[in-house]
Amino acid sequence: MSSSVRSGSPKMADDDKKGTLPGEQVDMDAIESQSIASDDALLHHLGYKSEFKRDFTFLGLFSLTSSELAVLPGVAGTIWYTMGYFGLVGMTWGWLVGFLGGQFLVYSLSELASAYPTSGGLYYWTYMTAPPRWKMSWCYLCAWSMVISTPLACCSITFSAAQLLMSTVQLAHPDYEAQAWHTYLVYVAMMFVSYCIICLPTKQVSRFNIFATVIGTIVLIITTIWLPVAAPELNSAKRIFTDTSYNGTSWPSGWSFCMTFLSATWTLSGYDVAAHVAEETHNASRTVPRAMIWSSWSSGFLGFIYLISLSLCAVDVESLMGDDVDQPLGTLFVTVLGNRAGITLLAINFFCQFACGVAFFVAASRIFFAYARDKALPFHDWLSKVSPRTQTPNNASFAVFVISTAFGAVSIGSDIAFEAFFSGSTLAGQISYILPVLGRCVFEDNPDYRPGPFNLGKWSKTIRLCAVAWNFFIMPLVSFPEGPMPSAADMNWAVVLYVPFQIFAFIYWWFWGYKTFTGPCPNLRAQNTIIDQVHNEIEEAKKEQ
């Protein structure tokens, strides 16, 4: 396949008209090899040689991203933000506003994923889009935000799955009293299984995610239909969209409603996992942005319909939020569908949340690999090794497993400390998301930026500005406690956790890091790579100063 065919030139139209003659054999292996060669050529231009097998197709990548978004367990894990903060209206309008507001960022990052399809993702994009004077500091901030966010998020998602499993056991065996160390042991076992899965060849990981996505989607659709049909009593449509009488926080109703946006923000984040496996994906500059956009829209829409179904059945919000099982949806399932069906549904929620943890584990391992490849992490030579047998970064995966297992041990001694990991990872993730988009906004005339096959055209600037505005609203929102003057138990520790990490990072940068950290470090020494061009521009800017 010639380059003119891939670029969409008139020759492509002529070739399409010719078609294939009857009986003519098409060499699909040759076409696939040429496609991979084109992907690798683009990667070479970005400064890197190909080290992975490109086994992710659009279906596999869409499934991986959808597994990470994981609407079914995501709604269950964040039901305290929707139903708990503002009742039925929080479940319906709160989700919808949070979902739609987040789409500005999805489209903005998808545009960058098309232009720079490399495993470095957000970190690489920030370096390429920021003004020359700020490239190093912004890139460094983004890198550390991701290093803080990914293992903590991997930890919180998998721990949430462990809690779902323990709630399932409690519903099945009411006499069983779960201990903190029980949950931690389940968590460690799940982390180990996740580690074993992502050390498999990419094609096998893709198949697991396709299976998990199919199961989750089918059960989500069945549950959405089944619950209202089986419920003995339903709320009216007017009540689920207009009843603002319930306020589970100590804030005024308006701000309490805004805090319900956190459910969609948390559940529908993580779509950048598609970018972090770009070097393992066919036709990455097109497939990655498609997977990010399709998965976020489909998950957001299905989540909205699912929450409408749940809100119709949630007749008594206060009793659901106050139940001893500490999982309102588990109680709702058992109440409406009976004990056996309710427990089964909660168990499936657990499996889908576990699959979500696996998907995030994949992203975390690729992020650690990409940063180690650029010599941004300690032990970078070991972390950046790729297994010759599976062609996956198993050393980086092991590092994420060890770090996440150690973080999880905090849950044995303090629920408050562990919840700080969750909120801190959310804040760090939002900061890393917005930095490359902000770079595009403040450095609009970047001479090194070349849009990829997917770009927003004349709407790009407007959408990016909306993304920045939305994110600047969301970042303080994720840091708010449930009321003013909170106690230690009610405090949101996101800022308290995140800021010391970054203070340490910038102290290191100020005294030592600036001498050795040079941003993305290409492993190809050709002089025509885009990274080399940007490095040269930074040096020229320093000389002018």
Side-chain angles (χ1 to χ4, degrees):
M1 184 180 294
S2 67
S3 59
S4 59
V5 172
R6 291 188 52 77
S7 63
S9 68
K11 186 177 185 302
M12 180 174 66
D14 294 340
D15 290 345
D16 289 343
K17 289 177 182 177
K18 291 177 184 177
T20 303
L21 296 176
E24 183 180 351
Q25 297 296 317
V26 178
D27 189 347
M28 296 305 297
D29 289 338
I31 292 175
E32 182 175 332
S33 297
Q34 291 170 3
S35 175
I36 292 174
S38 179
D39 285 325
D40 291 345
L42 176 56
L43 186 62
H44 288 183
H45 178 62
L46 298 179
Y48 299 104
K49 66 179 180 180
S50 178
E51 299 183 82
F52 299 108
K53 288 186 67 176
R54 293 187 180 272
D55 279 337
F56 272 114
T57 61
F58 170 72
L59 178 59
L61 195 59
F62 172 79
S63 299
L64 174 69
T65 312
S66 297
S67 292
E68 182 154 329
L69 301 185
V71 169
L72 189 66
V75 168
T78 60
I79 196 67
W80 291 273
Y81 291 150
T82 51
M83 181 193 294
Y85 281 175
F86 209 57
L88 302 176
V89 168
M91 297 171 71
T92 52
W93 290 117
W95 173 276
L96 184 63
V97 174
F99 155 52
L100 293 178
Q103 290 305 299
F104 295 114
L105 193 57
V106 175
Y107 276 86
S108 299
L109 292 178
S110 296
E111 189 177 44
L112 292 173
S114 182
Y116 305 117
T118 173
S119 295
L122 299 160
Y123 154 82
Y124 187 97
W125 305 342
T126 300
Y127 184 82
M128 297 305 298
T129 59
R133 182 180 178 185
W134 303 106
K135 280 188 186 294
M136 298 307 301
S137 57
W138 286 24
C139 178
Y140 190 75
L141 174 62
C142 183
W144 269 87
S145 293
M146 293 301 291
V147 168
I148 295 168
S149 173
T150 50
L152 295 181
C154 195
C155 179
S156 62
I157 291 169
T158 306
F159 197 87
S160 176
Q163 290 176 320
L164 280 172
L165 180 60
M166 300 307 289
S167 295
T168 304
V169 173
Q170 285 181 291
L171 284 172
H173 303 281
D175 295 334
Y176 170 67
E177 184 176 345
Q179 302 295 322
W181 66 271
H182 296 175
T183 307
Y184 176 68
L185 289 180
V186 172
Y187 163 78
V188 172
M190 291 169 59
M191 287 297 300
F192 180 73
V193 174
S194 299
Y195 165 68
C196 293
I197 290 174
I198 69 167
C199 286
L200 295 172
T202 301
K203 186 173 290 186
Q204 305 303 321
V205 178
S206 175
R207 288 173 180 170
F208 171 80
N209 284 292
I210 290 173
F211 171 74
T213 299
V214 170
I215 293 296
T217 303
I218 291 174
V219 173
L220 178 64
I221 294 172
I222 291 174
T223 305
T224 300
I225 298 171
W226 190 9
L227 278 173
V229 171
E233 183 181 0
L234 295 175
N235 290 312
S236 66
K238 179 180 179 180
R239 185 185 177 200
I240 68 172
F241 287 111
T242 62
D243 184 4
T244 59
S245 60
Y246 183 87
N247 185 346
T249 75
S250 300
W251 298 108
S253 294
W255 189 246
S256 180
F257 172 69
C258 290
M259 292 181 71
T260 65
F261 303 164
L262 298 179
S263 176
T265 300
W266 184 81
T267 303
L268 301 179
S269 64
Y271 45 80
D272 61 302
V273 65
H276 296 302
V277 294
E279 295 176 32
E280 302 166 65
T281 302
H282 284 293
N283 198 9
S285 59
R286 297 178 186 272
T287 303
V288 170
R290 284 177 61 208
M292 292 169 68
I293 292 169
W294 284 40
S295 60
S296 62
W297 271 105
S298 60
S299 297
F301 176 75
L302 287 173
F304 181 57
I305 301 301
Y306 179 46
L307 279 160
I308 288 176
S309 174
L310 294 174
S311 61
L312 285 171
C313 302
V315 177
D316 190 347
V317 172
E318 290 188 8
S319 64
L320 289 173
M321 295 307 303
D323 192 84
D324 293 336
V325 176
D326 201 29
Q327 177 43 256
L329 289 195
T331 303
L332 181 64
F333 292 158
V334 170
T335 302
V336 174
L337 304 176
N339 202 56
R340 182 174 297 180
I343 291 171
T344 301
L345 273 181
L346 198 60
I348 295 172
N349 272 263
F350 148 73
F351 171 76
C352 293
Q353 184 74 333
F354 168 70
C356 174
V358 171
F360 212 100
F361 209 141
V362 171
S365 66
R366 273 51 175 184
I367 287 169
F368 271 59
F369 162 80
Y371 296 172
R373 181 176 61 182
D374 291 341
K375 297 178 173 53
L377 295 178
F379 312 109
H380 51 79
D381 289 335
W382 182 78
L383 286 170
S384 61
K385 287 186 181 298
V386 175
S387 168
R389 184 175 63 85
T390 62
Q391 291 188 275
T392 52
N394 293 349
N395 290 354
S397 300
F398 183 74
V400 175
F401 166 70
V402 172
I403 293 171
S404 299
T405 301
F407 280 153
V410 176
S411 66
I412 299 176
S414 172
D415 288 338
I416 298 173
F418 185 78
E419 289 172 5
F421 291 159
F422 170 80
S423 54
S425 71
T426 306
L427 176 61
Q430 291 300 312
I431 291 173
S432 62
Y433 274 13
I434 202 57
L435 281 171
V437 180
L438 183 61
R440 284 277 288 127
C441 289
V442 300
F443 192 27
E444 195 73 36
D445 298 326
N446 186 347
D448 297 310
Y449 180 76
R450 297 290 184 273
F454 173 82
N455 63 86
L456 301 171
K458 65 179 182 179
W459 294 104
S460 177
K461 185 175 182 179
T462 301
I463 291 174
R464 282 186 274 111
L465 289 173
C466 290
V468 170
W470 176 259
N471 220 63
F472 279 2
F473 168 66
I474 286 294
M475 284 192 293
L477 190 67
V478 302
S479 307
F480 264 75
E482 294 182 8
M485 305 301 293
S487 64
D490 297 324
M491 177 65 179
N492 186 326
W493 295 92
V495 174
V496 179
L497 177 71
Y498 176 75
V499 171
F501 269 111
Q502 284 295 4
I503 290 176
F504 168 78
F506 274 93
I507 289 175
Y508 176 79
W509 163 263
W510 187 262
F511 289 102
W512 303 283
Y514 75 94
K515 299 177 183 178
T516 57
F517 182 75
T518 59
C521 181
N523 56 15
L524 288 175
R525 297 318 309 167
Q527 291 301 310
N528 63 341
T529 65
I530 192 169
I531 280 290
D532 286 321
Q533 296 169 16
V534 174
H535 284 340
N536 292 336
E537 290 174 6
I538 293 177
E539 292 302 320
E540 290 175 4
K542 288 180 179 178
K543 292 177 182 178
E544 292 176 359
Q545 292 177 358

